Amino acid sequence: MSGQIDTQSLISSLGDVVGQAHLLTDKEKKQPYCKGFRFGSGEALAVVRPATLVEIWRVLTLCVEADVAVIMQAANTGLTGGSTPDGKDYDRPLVIISTMRIDDIQLIDEGKQIVGLAGSTLFGLEEKLAPYGREPHSVIGSSCIGASIVGGICNNSGGALVKRGPAYTEMSLFAQIDESGKLSLVNNLGIKLGDTPEEILTNLQQQNYAADDVAFPELRASDNEYDERVRDVNSDTPSRFNNDGRRLHEASGCAGKLAVFAVRLDTFPIPDKKQVFYVGSNDAAMFTQIRRDILSTFKNLPDSGEYLHRDCYDVSKKYGKDMFIVISKLGAKFIPKLFAFKRKFDAFTDKLGFLPNKMSDRTMQYLSYLFPGHLPARMEVYRDKYQHHWILEMSNDGVDEARAYLDNFFKTHEGSYFECTEEEADKAILHRFVAGGAIGRYHIMNSKNVGAMMTIDVALRRNDPDWFEELPAEIDEQVDTKLYYGHLFCHVMHQNYVLKKGADAKVLKNKILQTFDARNAEYPAEHNVGHEYFAKDALKSFYRKLDPTNSFNPGIGKTTKLKNWAEHSDSCCGGHD
């Protein structure tokens, strides 16, 4: 770490901008911002919580002048540690800018598009759009834990919805540092907001612009080609993945290598009619055929198609029960508050020293045993009958199309389906979406008897018939439990492995990734590289072009953390793994 930086002077100046109450330098207070939602942690000189876009700009100006690195952080709900520091091998101090106080959402063209400011959330957007009969790119899953709109764009987050593809826009407002170290503001929102940075940012936040100031340029505000892409079931490439150069553009996919103030996005009409079909089979080939038939022959694409293996069903039922109940009874709006409380509770119990780690999860798990069964009877029948479960959601004319197809298909093929009532549909979808957290809880509660846990999201080739994984024997024998779920139409699978005691997680993960390489699959598919995966060449080049001095979120994608992209050596910063 450089000794030339007057950190105390910088801290004092940051406090002048955001106010002392929103400048965090105490280790305990910084901890929720320095530790990832599920992965990664490190140290930061300070955490600042600006209240306005102009305050973000002033903080960035101070950080650039002081030659410190910056991590822009929104909801910190990422699964690969991409919005927190990672370890200690940085050559400069780090300042984290938390944007969550700036959560405004502005509507354009009666809600057909929106502008989401730096800390706006998917849940807030869902609420904002509901009176207009429209909905955002993602409507459940990440929205349940308070994920941010800008974070989704920066990470090309995938989402469960078949028609919409990864989160994407070519219209954004961001700050960038050039080769000479100069900070500049780039307004590509398509809205006339003024000339100087502070004028632009103030006018945007105060919505001080008229309808005539809003242009509609030939720029995408969503991946409006994805429906054609996902239908191409004979292609030997995946439908969506984070390293895809087609969808790396300025803020989209930048992973924090730009300081993004706002994004402009399309919204989507809420269907007049929806129907969820619950499909079961013991033969993975049946789902392969259904997937290909629906994508290649249906006039109407599905809204979603969420897969859950029986083992994952069981883990989600037992270890996701409390989260299921909280969301169904209190609503998704309560979840960010619950996670904030969990962090504080764990920090307190960790300080006591004599309690096991993750005490909040352990407590909630034991409390969940007091509640009765929460899943519909027909789902439970299918759990006993079938190992493969598929929650297929259709809308409008697609409902009748799917019903006729499934009726005919299961006359001559193994498996069956039922049409969910509204209550069954809500519970089936929610059961699937608590699975990710439930797997983490399963590992916590069984940590004495098992080894490490690995999670991989992989995008399979669109023409790959073998979507259900069969590991080589030498790998499989080191795995205690395999838990699979995913977005089957998009061929994006979330594969979770709880290893046996003594298994080398790093070696085993590399071997599993090699099996994906041999199949021309891509990873990560939708959670981005964070600090868990290596950025491939296309992504690494994109990062370097956006941030030539390596001042924003250094080290992302296991790249160098040093200024100007210098390479680490054994003697610098304690070395680099």
Side-chain angles (χ1 to χ4, degrees), residues 85-101:
D86 176 57
K88 299 179 179 179
D89 49 337
Y90 295 89
D91 61 344
R92 296 154 289 172
L94 278 168
V95 170
I96 297 173
I97 300 176
S98 172
T99 64
M100 294 306 289
R101 296 176 68 203

Side-chain angles (χ1 to χ4, degrees), residues 9 20 88 147 192 222 281 415 491-492 551 559:
S9 176
Q20 291 300 319
K88 299 179 179 179
K192 293 179 182 177
S222 63
S281 178
H491 252 197
V492 168
S551 296
T559 58

Side-chain angles (χ1 to χ4, degrees), residues 10 36-37 94 161 194 202 288 304 324 366 374 437:
L10 174 60
F37 177 71
L94 278 168
L161 302 179
T202 300
T288 301
S304 65
F324 181 105
Y366 290 126
H374 59 290

Side-chain angles (χ1 to χ4, degrees), residues 123-245:
F123 183 79
L125 180 55
E126 199 171 343
E127 282 195 322
K128 185 97 172 181
L129 290 174
Y132 295 84
R134 301 187 73 84
E135 61 189 12
H137 169 269
S138 298
V139 294
I140 195 169
S142 56
S143 57
C144 285
I145 54 175
S148 75
I149 297 170
V150 169
I153 291 295
C154 291
N155 290 298
N156 283 145
S157 298
L161 302 179
V162 179
K163 303 173 185 177
R164 300 179 191 174
Y168 182 73
T169 187
E170 294 167 1
M171 292 190 278
S172 60
L173 175 65
F174 57 88
Q176 187 171 27
I177 301 173
D178 66 16
E179 295 90 339
S180 64
K182 180 184 176 183
L183 181 72
S184 61
L185 186 71
V186 179
N187 179 14
N188 285 338
L189 280 176
I191 304 173
K192 293 179 182 177
L193 295 166
D195 300 313
T196 68
E198 296 209 359
E199 182 183 12
I200 291 169
L201 296 170
T202 300
N203 285 336
L204 176 61
Q205 184 143 19
Q206 296 178 359
Q207 208 163 348
N208 185 25
Y209 55 88
D212 289 346
D213 294 321
V214 180
F216 292 87
E218 292 295 318
L219 295 172
R220 291 187 176 90
S222 63
D223 187 354
N224 57 7
E225 298 176 331
Y226 187 74
D227 55 347
E228 295 178 10
R229 185 172 177 82
V230 76
R231 282 186 180 277
D232 187 0
V233 294
N234 294 316
S235 172
D236 61 359
T237 63
S239 57
R240 56 179 168 93
F241 54 98
N242 289 127
N243 282 295
D244 186 358

